Amino acid sequence: MHVPTKLLDDPADAVTDALRGLAAVHPELTVDLEHHVVSRNHDHFGDHRPGKVGLVSGGGSGHEPLHAGFVGLGMLDAAACGAVFTSPVPDQVLAATTAASSGGGVVHVVKNYTGDVLNFQMAAELADDEDIAVETVLVDDDVAVTDSLYTAGRRGTGGTLFVEKVLGAAAEQGMALAEVAALGRDVVARSRSFGVALSPCTTPGSDRPGFDLEPGEMELGIGIHGEPGRRRVPVPATGVAREVARTSVAAIADDMPLDGEELLLLVNGMGGTPLLELQVLAGDVVAELTARGARIARALVGNHVTSLEMAGSMVSVCRATPQLLQLWDAPVRTPALRWGA
Amino acid sequence: MHVPTKLLDDPADAVTDALRGLAAVHPELTVDLEHHVVSRNHDHFGDHRPGKVGLVSGGGSGHEPLHAGFVGLGMLDAAACGAVFTSPVPDQVLAATTAASSGGGVVHVVKNYTGDVLNFQMAAELADDEDIAVETVLVDDDVAVTDSLYTAGRRGTGGTLFVEKVLGAAAEQGMALAEVAALGRDVVARSRSFGVALSPCTTPGSDRPGFDLEPGEMELGIGIHGEPGRRRVPVPATGVAREVARTSVAAIADDMPLDGEELLLLVNGMGGTPLLELQVLAGDVVAELTARGARIARALVGNHVTSLEMAGSMVSVCRATPQLLQLWDAPVRTPALRWGA
Amino acid sequence: MSPALTAAGARDWLQRFATAVDEHAADLTDLDRPIGDSDHGVNLQRGMRAVLAALDAADPATPGAVLLKAGSTLVSTVGGASGPLFGTLLRRTGKALGDAESVDAAALGSGLRVGLDAVTALGGAQVGDATLVDALAPAVESLEAGGSVTEAAEAAARGAASTDELVARKGRASYLGERGIGHRDPGAASTALLFAALADGDGAGAS
Amino acid sequence: MSPALTAAGARDWLQRFATAVDEHAADLTDLDRPIGDSDHGVNLQRGMRAVLAALDAADPATPGAVLLKAGSTLVSTVGGASGPLFGTLLRRTGKALGDAESVDAAALGSGLRVGLDAVTALGGAQVGDATLVDALAPAVESLEAGGSVTEAAEAAARGAASTDELVARKGRASYLGERGIGHRDPGAASTALLFAALADGDGAGAS
Ligand SMILES: Nc1ncnc2c1ncn2[C@@H]1O[C@H](COP(=O)(O)OP(=O)(O)O)[C@@H](O)[C@H]1O
Ligand SMILES: Nc1ncnc2c1ncn2[C@@H]1O[C@H](COP(=O)(O)OP(=O)(O)O)[C@@H](O)[C@H]1O
Ligand SMILES: [Mg+2]
Ligand SMILES: [Mg+2]
Ligand SMILES: [Mg+2]
Ligand SMILES: [Mg+2]
């Protein structure tokens, strides 16, 4: 199977080089190239706020703009960037936690993968040694994993964006540590995602993609690490986007009733699917959701939580409340999400 | 050569379906599905402004978010969306012009391709019949075309984004028709772009990509219509991003001296290249520009002017002035570009 | 076209051209692949289907009105470079034919000269620039010189073939420079089909 | 390990393991492809190179200190699931070995039991869940029961092979459910390499 030419210098340095590039175009961010930690440049933002709850996330790289692209005013204070598809080590998470700490404690937003969970847990212990109070919000929004008892549990995927935006606004507005964490768990409980791959992706330096997909096949129920999904099915001859929308929304609605709900919606590209196609999918997803009695309160369409150059999509929804909408609408200024500032 | 599975319903309806999707998630836009014209929903924006100069652009589809994704407060008033890689017809451009007209005249931002030029020209004549004064700003920023005398002239590519943002802000601030057009021509004169393809792309419904590229080859000096570039060269074994940055910046600097200049910079993805890679390229591009004595005043990294799912990049720069920076920083609220609002 | 071209004859001509475009759509698009953006066949197909529908609806009474209607329909449905150029060719030719109930080959040649001049004024291409003008100009000249429609079709075909060895100076293909040598210009190829469709009707009259 | 494991012996063990990981890195990553994210070999390779460098720098005096240093280095360089798990295994085993200058197979077995328990406490996996525990637990039990390091290595290898037919319940592979059957767990395979490296040193003493 064909491995795409990558616009990199040395595959082994992909993450370092990408962070150097981020630093070069975002003076409002501080990039620690030793720890691969991106944090707010408080001098640039003028947002020195003693006692503000710090918001930290992180994970493997390859999901850009998640997480480093969501660092800034009204969202994350710091992100720890692991190797591609490999969770960061505790030292990195600790460095991010220290950078984010202003005395009010720090919330860790952790996607539910064994590696992320274990490394953040160890980092939280190290932070405790330094008297930084840490609360953890575990994101497990992926409905493709239905048998949580027999697995590592649902994965953290597109819903992570809702959590990071909403908690970022809450922390900015002065909410205290325990409340931010509780709010985060509530956002997780209200969020669901389902992903589909139309092509695999290849980790930099590898000579083969994560899986082989014959033309005319697609993988349903994927995570965000280029791994195969839960099920492989044929691509329909026409109505591909409708079928993807139907399958994704049905999987979500079977798990969480949508009738009468106001939704935050993310129609997310996995990295290699062009916006023309994501817009077609967005139309079909909105039609499916509306047919189930839901109303779209806010929507984002684009590449937000990706798997390198994988083609495909992830549909994520969050059942909104007036409070969540207010926090969603609050100003945000990050490389990848920006409004009102 | 492998044709990717597309997330569409019917390839023949790709543009209509994508516009329907845009309408479904952007209530602040009015989408005319008959003419494939996207314009501001003035009731939503509350920006009824008699006498404001209207700003219209358009072209073939397949370049999303350009142009429809740049319709909104502080940028375009309306965009006419042709079939994929095919300029809109005069009727469409006229419909966009009428939608954008508030009595102060309308500026057409036209990318320099024979089809776009001819169709916009015919539309301008039709608008004249309806007593709408039209000024045309022709964007020809692509330095890959060096022999303008023997060709249709330089193509309009990434620099279009600078023109649309800056003129959108100028029109919003009340600048008059002739001045907006003159400013636009000045922005064009200050802008240069160079593009590289690492993969071809396939028009919806076609059974083959626009060109074949063997693994280990890249196309230099591409346009944005999935067509081959000016030159094919081998991909270097390492330092691919550095080589692309070097080639792109050298081509630009050979044409327009950069020493001592403050730049608006766009490190643009062609659609299928993931952000991790674009960030690596951004670092290399900034290094190249800085080494040539330029300073980066503002930068954007991402998929803004694309060729469907093509992998590759386009580097665009605009020599800024204090006025241009003020207009660049002015509030903008569109699906794809948003800040300060 | 031994019997002169009537409104019905003009519609038959365009019907045959539409059929030829349908048949050759993939070939025309393939010609547009190496040197353009792979859409010329698709573009003309969309346009000619619209033309047939528009002619059915309007049922114009003269050959000039048929060509005028066809031209404006092409302008408003094709887009790209070929929409305005083919559209202008037929519109201006149609206008030039005026109210005549039927036109012979020479009159058609004079009309097409007006169309050709409008095309060169609009697009700026001259013979030798590897565009549709390379097929159109010799066909028009042949008719003007008293040639039959069959001779005009042959001239168009030769003109189209001549683009194989040319470096394009107009349109998308011009960006390729020397890389474009060895490729036939798609617009010239479709223009040759237009004149072949005209010649195919020769003798068939208004049937 | 007829002569008991000294600090130098422990370093030789880890050196042999690092060599084995280098040799099998591609294989381990390939095992991680169908059921995981294709990085297990890369992860361990990065970690073991760091371990060798850290041991060179720190030159720990006892086998316990060697394993402790190796474990914390893995934790801070590997990431993913395997970093904390392999790291915890070695750290806790090292701590349990205390200040002893040298340890025999039985003592190593008792130390590894502490490490194994820490791994199951951390990751929650039991034997049969198709993780590295399936290789680790039988090896530790074999040593505890008085087995030789060679027997322990055989038990680890059998344990790793047993994962072929299991449905994973922990880690990334668990997401595949039944689709994971027929695939060997990469962490179990690398754990088998760890014990094979231990056995390879048997009789070679501190050489
Ligand atoms: N300036 C011009 N003058 C005459 N013909 C032109 C000119 N530019 C392009 N053409 C013709 O148009 C054809 C391309 O048509 P088409 O592919 O439908 O449009 P586009 O190039 O916009 O995709 C070319 O093959 C050429 O014959
Ligand atoms: N909860 C767990 N308990 C024990 N071992 C586990 C657990 N989760 C994963 N593993 C082991 O980790 C291995 C995967 O390691 P690696 O590929 O390096 O990390 P990641 O899965 O984060 O990419 C699996 O093959 C399995 O043996
Ligand atoms: Mg991993
Ligand atoms: Mg075209
Ligand atoms: Mg074309
Ligand atoms: Mg792995």
Side-chain angles (χ1 to χ4, degrees):
Chain A
M1 176 147 270
H2 177 62
V3 169
T5 300
K6 291 186 183 279
L7 199 45
L8 298 172
D9 287 321
D10 181 339
D13 296 336
V15 177
T16 312
D17 291 347
L19 291 176
R20 191 175 287 123
L22 190 74
V25 297
H26 286 291
E28 76 280 13
L29 300 180
T30 300
V31 177
D32 171 350
L33 286 175
E34 186 200 336
H35 289 102
H36 288 183
V37 165
V38 176
S39 60
R40 299 190 199 180
N41 177 343
H42 292 294
D43 291 336
H44 199 281
F45 282 115
D47 69 337
H48 299 269
R49 300 260 309 276
K52 175 187 160 312
V53 169
L55 191 64
V56 166
S57 193
S61 292
H63 309 303
E64 291 67 28
L66 187 83
H67 300 272
F70 297 137
V71 174
L73 213 70
M75 215 159 163
L76 297 180
D77 289 279
C81 308
V84 172
F85 294 163
T86 302
S87 69
V89 302
D91 311 38
Q92 293 179 269
V93 178
L94 178 64
T97 306
T98 309
S101 168
S102 304
V106 172
V107 171
H108 283 178
V109 178
V110 183
K111 304 195 296 304
N112 188 33
Y113 298 94
T114 307
D116 294 76
V117 171
L118 299 182
N119 285 284
F120 271 86
Q121 181 181 322
M122 293 184 127
E125 286 164 22
L126 296 174
D128 190 61
D129 294 349
E130 301 191 7
D131 287 325
I132 302 175
V134 170
E135 287 272 358
T136 299
V137 173
L138 196 67
V139 185
D140 57 348
D141 57 317
D142 161 38
V143 297
V145 178
T146 45
D147 38 5
S148 301
L149 267 185
Y150 303 103
T151 62
R154 290 181 162 180
R155 299 167 290 198
T157 58
T160 314
L161 173 63
F162 302 136
V163 177
E164 296 184 359
K165 171 65 183 85
V166 167
L167 297 203
E172 214 71 61
Q173 294 177 11
M175 196 183 272
L177 181 63
E179 283 76 60
V180 174
L183 178 67
R185 290 175 197 123
D186 186 45
V187 175
V188 171
R190 298 173 159 277
S191 298
R192 297 290 188 282
S193 297
F194 189 89
V196 174
L198 300 178
S199 89
C201 62
T202 305
T203 308
S206 174
D207 60 354
R208 254 171 316 154
F211 54 90
D212 291 321
L213 204 56
E214 295 298 316
E217 295 181 335
M218 58 185 180
E219 283 276 331
L220 303 184
I222 53 157
I224 55 172
H225 295 89
E227 71 274 56
R230 305 276 293 175
R231 204 145 62 81
R232 179 168 298 193
V233 300
V235 175
T238 64
V240 182
R242 259 192 311 271
E243 178 66 15
V244 168
R246 206 196 49 68
T247 307
S248 303
V249 172
I252 290 170
D254 284 353
D255 197 72
M256 180 173 79
L258 299 174
D259 192 18
E261 298 290 343
E262 287 222 309
L263 300 179
L264 304 178
L265 169 65
L266 169 62
V267 178
N268 180 59
M270 298 309 298
T273 292
L275 189 52
L276 181 82
E277 299 179 29
L278 293 179
Q279 284 181 200
V280 171
L281 178 65
D284 291 335
V285 166
V286 170
E288 285 285 340
L289 290 170
T290 310
R292 288 170 190 270
R295 209 183 70 76
I296 314 304
R298 305 288 185 275
L300 286 179
V301 179
N303 295 320
H304 290 96
V305 179
T306 63
S307 264
L308 296 171
E309 76 281 2
M310 176 181 277
S313 62
M314 175 162 283
V315 176
S316 300
V317 305
C318 175
R319 292 186 299 118
T321 63
Q323 183 201 22
L324 291 190
L325 288 180
Q326 176 261 315
L327 293 167
W328 181 261
D329 290 339
V332 60
R333 182 183 167 184
T334 70
L337 211 64
R338 188 167 174 187
W339 54 71
Chain B
M1 175 145 272
H2 176 64
V3 170
T5 300
K6 291 187 184 278
L7 198 47
L8 299 172
D9 288 321
D10 181 340
D13 295 336
V15 177
T16 312
D17 291 347
L19 290 177
R20 192 176 285 123
L22 191 73
V25 297
H26 287 290
E28 77 278 14
L29 300 180
T30 300
V31 177
D32 171 349
L33 286 175
E34 188 201 334
H35 289 103
H36 289 182
V37 165
V38 176
S39 59
R40 301 189 198 181
N41 176 342
H42 292 293
D43 291 336
H44 199 281
F45 282 114
D47 68 337
H48 299 269
R49 300 260 308 276
K52 175 186 161 311
V53 169
L55 191 63
V56 166
S57 192
S61 292
H63 310 302
E64 291 68 26
L66 188 84
H67 299 272
F70 297 137
V71 174
L73 213 70
M75 215 160 163
L76 297 179
D77 289 279
C81 308
V84 172
F85 295 163
T86 301
S87 68
V89 302
D91 310 39
Q92 293 179 271
V93 178
L94 178 65
T97 305
T98 309
S101 168
S102 304
V106 172
V107 171
H108 283 177
V109 177
V110 184
K111 303 195 297 305
N112 188 34
Y113 297 95
T114 306
D116 295 75
V117 170
L118 299 182
N119 285 284
F120 271 85
Q121 180 181 322
M122 293 184 127
E125 287 163 20
L126 297 174
D128 190 60
D129 293 350
E130 300 191 8
D131 286 327
I132 302 176
V134 170
E135 286 272 357
T136 298
V137 173
L138 195 67
V139 185
D140 57 351
D141 57 316
D142 162 37
V143 297
V145 178
T146 44
D147 38 5
S148 301
L149 268 184
Y150 302 103
T151 63
R154 289 183 163 180
R155 300 168 288 199
T157 57
T160 314
L161 172 64
F162 303 136
V163 177
E164 296 184 358
K165 171 66 183 83
V166 167
L167 298 202
E172 213 72 61
Q173 294 176 10
M175 196 182 270
L177 181 63
E179 282 77 60
V180 174
L183 178 66
R185 290 174 198 125
D186 186 45
V187 176
V188 171
R190 298 173 158 277
S191 298
R192 296 291 187 282
S193 297
F194 189 89
V196 174
L198 299 178
S199 88
C201 63
T202 305
T203 308
S206 174
D207 60 353
R208 252 171 318 154
F211 54 91
D212 291 323
L213 203 57
E214 296 298 316
E217 296 181 336
M218 58 186 183
E219 283 278 330
L220 303 184
I222 53 157
I224 56 172
H225 295 88
E227 71 274 55
R230 302 277 292 177
R231 202 146 63 81
R232 179 168 297 194
V233 299
V235 175
T238 64
V240 181
R242 258 192 312 270
E243 178 66 16
V244 168
R246 205 195 50 68
T247 307
S248 303
V249 172
I252 290 170
D254 284 353
D255 198 72
M256 180 174 78
L258 299 174
D259 192 19
E261 297 290 342
E262 288 221 308
L263 301 178
L264 303 178
L265 168 66
L266 168 62
V267 178
N268 180 58
M270 297 310 297
T273 292
L275 189 52
L276 181 82
E277 299 178 28
L278 294 179
Q279 283 181 200
V280 171
L281 178 65
D284 291 336
V285 167
V286 170
E288 284 285 340
L289 290 169
T290 310
R292 287 169 190 272
R295 210 182 71 75
I296 314 304
R298 304 288 185 274
L300 286 179
V301 180
N303 295 320
H304 291 95
V305 179
T306 62
S307 263
L308 296 172
E309 75 281 3
M310 176 181 278
S313 62
M314 175 162 282
V315 176
S316 300
V317 304
C318 175
R319 290 186 301 117
T321 62
Q323 182 201 23
L324 291 190
L325 289 180
Q326 176 260 316
L327 292 167
W328 181 260
D329 291 339
V332 58
R333 182 182 168 184
T334 70
L337 212 64
R338 189 169 173 185
W339 54 72
Chain C
M1 229 175 84
S2 312
L5 193 73
T6 59
R11 284 181 66 173
D12 285 344
W13 170 24
L14 295 176
Q15 170 69 64
R16 286 190 302 274
F17 178 50
T19 305
V21 165
D22 273 337
E23 268 168 26
H24 295 281
D27 307 336
L28 292 172
T29 291
D30 284 349
L31 287 179
D32 200 23
R33 196 179 306 278
I35 58 169
D37 59 348
S38 327
D39 64 358
H40 185 59
V42 182
N43 288 347
L44 277 192
Q45 207 171 20
R46 178 174 62 244
M48 287 311 296
R49 284 182 187 167
V51 164
L52 297 187
L55 293 177
D56 281 347
D59 197 16
T62 63
V66 167
L67 296 185
L68 180 59
K69 184 76 201 169
S72 30
T73 305
L74 288 179
V75 168
S76 50
T77 56
V78 174
S82 55
L85 292 166
F86 275 89
T88 296
L89 171 67
L90 297 188
R91 271 180 69 196
R92 292 303 192 84
T93 301
K95 273 198 184 176
L97 296 184
D99 293 339
E101 292 283 320
S102 75
V103 291
D104 61 14
L108 182 62
S110 312
L112 281 165
R113 158 62 59 190
V114 176
L116 167 60
D117 288 347
V119 164
T120 54
L122 186 63
Q126 302 301 326
V127 169
D129 288 349
T131 70
L132 56 84
V133 171
D134 287 333
L136 179 57
V140 174
E141 282 157 18
S142 163
L143 290 173
E144 286 181 317
S148 70
V149 290
T150 306
E151 283 161 338
E154 286 163 3
R158 274 194 308 274
S162 77
T163 65
D164 292 10
E165 298 312 317
L166 293 173
V167 175
R169 295 195 170 184
K170 292 286 169 189
R172 239 172 244 298
S174 67
Y175 303 127
L176 280 170
E178 307 276 322
R179 277 177 95 177
I181 293 182
H183 295 287
R184 180 157 310 181
D185 178 66
S190 57
T191 301
L193 291 180
L194 178 67
F195 283 91
L198 179 65
D200 279 352
D202 197 17
S207 80
Chain D
M1 227 176 84
S2 313
L5 193 73
T6 59
R11 285 181 66 171
D12 285 344
W13 171 23
L14 295 176
Q15 170 69 63
R16 285 189 301 274
F17 179 50
T19 305
V21 165
D22 273 338
E23 267 168 26
H24 296 281
D27 306 337
L28 292 172
T29 291
D30 283 349
L31 288 179
D32 199 24
R33 196 179 308 276
I35 58 169
D37 60 347
S38 328
D39 64 359
H40 186 57
V42 182
N43 288 347
L44 276 192
Q45 205 170 20
R46 179 174 60 243
M48 288 310 297
R49 283 181 187 168
V51 164
L52 297 186
L55 292 177
D56 282 346
D59 198 14
T62 63
V66 167
L67 297 185
L68 180 60
K69 185 76 201 168
S72 28
T73 305
L74 288 179
V75 167
S76 50
T77 56
V78 174
S82 54
L85 291 166
F86 275 89
T88 295
L89 171 67
L90 296 188
R91 270 180 71 197
R92 292 303 190 85
T93 301
K95 272 198 185 174
L97 296 184
D99 294 338
E101 292 282 322
S102 77
V103 290
D104 62 14
L108 183 61
S110 312
L112 282 164
R113 159 60 61 187
V114 176
L116 167 59
D117 288 348
V119 164
T120 54
L122 187 64
Q126 303 300 327
V127 170
D129 287 350
T131 70
L132 57 86
V133 170
D134 287 333
L136 179 57
V140 173
E141 281 156 18
S142 164
L143 290 173
E144 284 181 316
S148 68
V149 289
T150 306
E151 283 161 336
E154 286 163 6
R158 274 194 308 275
S162 77
T163 64
D164 292 10
E165 297 312 318
L166 293 172
V167 175
R169 295 196 170 182
K170 292 287 169 187
R172 240 173 244 297
S174 68
Y175 303 126
L176 281 170
E178 308 276 322
R179 278 177 94 177
I181 292 183
H183 295 288
R184 180 156 311 180
D185 178 67
S190 56
T191 301
L193 291 180
L194 178 67
F195 283 92
L198 179 65
D200 279 352
D202 197 17
S207 78

